[in-house]
Amino acid sequence: RGYDLRDELPAFFGKDTEDKNARVMSDHRETISDLLLEEFTIPWAKWAKTHNAIIRNQAHGSPANILDLYAASDIPETEGTNIVGMKLASSAAHLTGKQLASAETATWLDEHWVSTLGDVKRRVDLMFLGGVNHNCYHGTVFSPPGEAWPGHHFYAAAELDPSNAIWADFDALNAYVARCQSFLQAGKPANDILLYYQIHDVWAERGTGAMPHFGSGGGGAARGGAQQSVPQDLLNRGYTFDFFSDRLLQGVTYSGGALQAIGARYQVVVVPETKFMPAETLTRLFALAEAGATVVFHKTLPGDVPGLGNLATRRTNFQGMKDAFKTASKDAEGITTLSWKQGRLLLGDDLDKLLARANVPRETFADQGIKFERRTHESGLAYFLLNTGTADVEGWFPLPADTRGAAIFDPMTAASGVAATRTTASRTEVFLRLAPAESTILKTFTRAPTGQAFAYWKPRGAAQPLLGTWNVKFAAGGPTLPADISTNELKSWTETAGADYQTFSGTAVYRLNFSRPAGEAAAWQLDLGKVAESARVKLNGRELGVLFTPPMVITIPSNQLAAQNTLEIAVTNLTVNRIADLDRRD
């Protein structure tokens, strides 16, 4: 950093002026960050390559600029629940051209043995929204084969292994994840904004005096302030972005009408309100503008350079660039525009107006509670869409201006087809229908796709209850298999008299013979209502699918219903009944 730390120990321990204290502390933290990158992560990655291996790295939890540590890894890996934090790992993957952004998924999902397959799906869906396309479950623990049930387990894992009853239908969850990831691993990222990660602002905050460690999704990735609020606002409004660091910006160029990184293209650079920015970073931003880029400064220009070394010279250069704005004037919308050779730099308080001025579109899915991740493919875009609201969403949604058609892929059922679209005066719109927590893959095309239309089913008559005697056979699980029962009332099997039913965890098969319902339709919808927790459905010996998250409905083509039918529903519950039994028996 240009000076001997031993000469500045009073400032290092907070005993000098407030400004000098912050500068020395920031320098120390930046040095630690550089050492972690240059003396650990990069050598580790190089060493792995000499052994024909790659590294998958959880850089978070480190006192460093984790964007740079992720970027030095072959597969950046995140975790947690904070989408903004997850995007630090996926951003590094996107900028550096890494195909995979990974996640340690479902850690500490809930208390032991009570997590459902639906719970795991909801956590996976969060990862997808954070740019993750390579989920690694947490977890499956080695347990010696001779160990009594349930064997050995790890304190933070969700017991995703054969000792858990939910394993019976785990393949259905994996099929869903695989279908989503097949789209999210293809093509390239399609984010519009390069968003500055203001690491120096955090390094200059004393806090407790301890070095700040940067988290991922669990708490602390952005450490509050603009580092959390601005990206969260962008997500809420339907804008797409990747974070960049001071170091990663040096590899960004402008050509062909776009900002170019190794692995992605962007439309604009956005710098949130920032106290400290290296002069080299501001110089690079002006150079990109000179080449034709648009650079947006939100609220204020960066305040000052960080650190202590060679401060006067760095400040002079930094201020000289900022002074260029003195010749620019503010317009009626409150935006100051500085034309700079081929490009421009914009300054203003309203980020929506700034992005509109920079011609950055937003996706209106967000207005209806639909969150998304977006990637390119050879002739359009691919979206992972998730209804994060509590109500059904149904309607027409605008697509990019060059769209001429779209297709829908249901990752839960594998159903697909050409989407319903219409052309308005300005652009193409697509019809979408999503239940709460339901997801879909939407693929747009610059040429109209051909093929079978996607089926948008709607009820055309009243529901008809399936009545009769259900035969229930307990097929697999423990501690013992209860005796078979027959019942005309569907209810929890733990309400059946006898300890065997109340302690049972596993799978029971419900079997009913029924006549074809009255009426004619192209298909019938079987609604199971509340299921605890997953159901594998067969009709006349043919498996129709596995349901493990609401809505617990399945579509049956009319030609699969005979005059007389046999319905089999293999229901699997959670393992907590059996665990509770172990507790009661010490």
Side-chain angles (χ1 to χ4, degrees), residues 317-373:
N317 295 338
F318 191 80
Q319 189 60 46
M321 287 181 282
K322 290 174 59 176
D323 286 345
F325 268 86
K326 291 180 178 180
T327 62
S329 58
K330 185 184 296 187
D331 63 21
E333 287 193 305
I335 296 175
T336 301
T337 302
L338 174 64
S339 298
W340 199 253
K341 298 289 181 70
Q342 301 299 313
R344 56 185 175 163
L345 301 102
L346 307 178
L347 171 65
D349 292 336
D350 190 316
L351 192 51
D352 266 326
K353 290 180 179 178
L354 287 165
L355 292 174
R357 185 69 58 85
N359 300 317
V360 177
R362 69 180 191 91
E363 298 284 3
T364 57
F365 302 123
D367 298 342
Q368 302 297 319
I370 297 178
K371 295 185 178 179
F372 65 96
E373 174 68 6

Side-chain angles (χ1 to χ4, degrees), residues 94 99 133 180-192 240 242 258 260 262-267 363 372-384 400 402 441-446:
H94 295 166
Q99 181 190 13
N133 60 7
C180 292
Q181 290 187 172
S182 70
F183 289 90
L184 295 174
Q185 291 179 9
K188 291 186 176 183
N191 295 328
D192 295 319
T240 59
D242 280 325
Q260 307 276 358
I262 294 174
R265 293 162 51 95
Y266 302 89
Q267 287 188 240
E363 298 284 3
F372 65 96
E373 174 68 6
R374 190 177 73 184
R375 293 181 71 87
T376 66
H377 64 88
E378 64 280 359
S379 56
L381 296 170
Y383 296 80
F384 170 82
D402 60 349
I441 301 292
L442 174 68
K443 203 169 182 180
T444 70
F445 299 89
T446 53

Side-chain angles (χ1 to χ4, degrees), residues 327-572:
T327 62
S329 58
K330 185 184 296 187
D331 63 21
E333 287 193 305
I335 296 175
T336 301
T337 302
L338 174 64
S339 298
W340 199 253
K341 298 289 181 70
Q342 301 299 313
R344 56 185 175 163
L345 301 102
L346 307 178
L347 171 65
D349 292 336
D350 190 316
L351 192 51
D352 266 326
K353 290 180 179 178
L354 287 165
L355 292 174
R357 185 69 58 85
N359 300 317
V360 177
R362 69 180 191 91
E363 298 284 3
T364 57
F365 302 123
D367 298 342
Q368 302 297 319
I370 297 178
K371 295 185 178 179
F372 65 96
E373 174 68 6
R374 190 177 73 184
R375 293 181 71 87
T376 66
H377 64 88
E378 64 280 359
S379 56
L381 296 170
Y383 296 80
F384 170 82
L385 302 173
L386 177 70
N387 180 3
T388 62
T390 57
D392 291 348
V393 173
E394 180 176 310
W396 294 92
F397 294 86
L399 295 173
D402 60 349
T403 300
R404 297 296 177 266
I408 291 176
F409 302 81
D410 184 344
M412 189 63 73
T413 66
S416 64
V418 176
T421 57
R422 68 183 186 186
T423 302
T424 66
S426 58
R427 63 203 318 173
T428 298
E429 295 180 339
V430 64
F431 185 79
L432 296 175
R433 181 190 295 139
L434 288 171
E438 186 179 5
S439 60
T440 196
I441 301 292
L442 174 68
K443 203 169 182 180
T444 70
F445 299 89
T446 53
R447 293 184 178 180
T450 59
Q452 183 175 349
F454 184 78
Y456 299 89
W457 297 107
K458 292 187 70 174
R460 64 178 295 179
Q464 302 182 44
L466 294 180
L467 303 175
T469 299
W470 292 85
N471 296 309
V472 185
K473 179 179 181 60
F474 292 84
T480 59
L481 293 180
D484 297 351
I485 57 176
S486 295
T487 181
N488 293 323
E489 180 186 6
L490 292 174
K491 60 183 180 180
S492 171
W493 63 57
T494 59
E495 296 178 25
T496 306
D500 286 354
Y501 300 99
Q502 291 150 24
T503 62
F504 180 73
S505 292
T507 302
V509 180
Y510 291 72
R511 190 172 187 270
L512 176 71
N513 295 318
F514 69 97
S515 300
R516 181 187 179 94
E520 294 299 326
W524 294 82
Q525 185 184 74
L526 176 67
D527 186 347
L528 302 187
K530 180 181 178 181
V531 176
E533 294 293 336
S534 61
R536 190 173 293 265
V537 182
K538 287 185 178 180
L539 179 67
N540 300 326
R542 178 177 181 175
E543 184 168 307
L544 300 181
V546 179
L547 303 174
F548 59 86
T549 187
M552 292 289 188
V553 297
I554 200 162
T555 300
I556 305 172
S558 186
N559 60 13
Q560 292 185 20
L561 279 169
Q564 297 297 317
N565 302 274
T566 299
L567 178 65
E568 293 177 294
I569 307 174
V571 175
T572 300

Side-chain angles (χ1 to χ4, degrees), residues 30 33-34 37 64-72 87-88 91-93 95-96 193-200 203 227 241-252 261 266 269-272 276-278 280-282 284-285 288:
E30 184 175 3
S33 179
D34 288 349
L37 176 65
N65 190 334
I66 58 177
L67 262 175
D68 294 334
L69 301 188
Y70 282 135
K87 287 184 71 68
L88 291 169
S91 296
L95 265 75
T96 57
I193 298 168
L194 271 175
L195 184 65
Y196 183 53
Y197 186 59
Q198 313 121 294
I199 190 76
H200 291 278
W203 279 337
Q227 288 184 313
F241 70 88
D242 280 325
F243 286 109
F244 71 92
S245 67
D246 302 286
R247 190 182 299 257
L248 288 173
L249 182 66
Q250 301 306 314
V252 176
Y266 302 89
V269 176
V270 171
V271 179
F276 297 107
M277 174 184 281
E280 296 84 356
T281 300
L282 190 59
R284 187 65 188 158
L285 293 176
L288 291 171

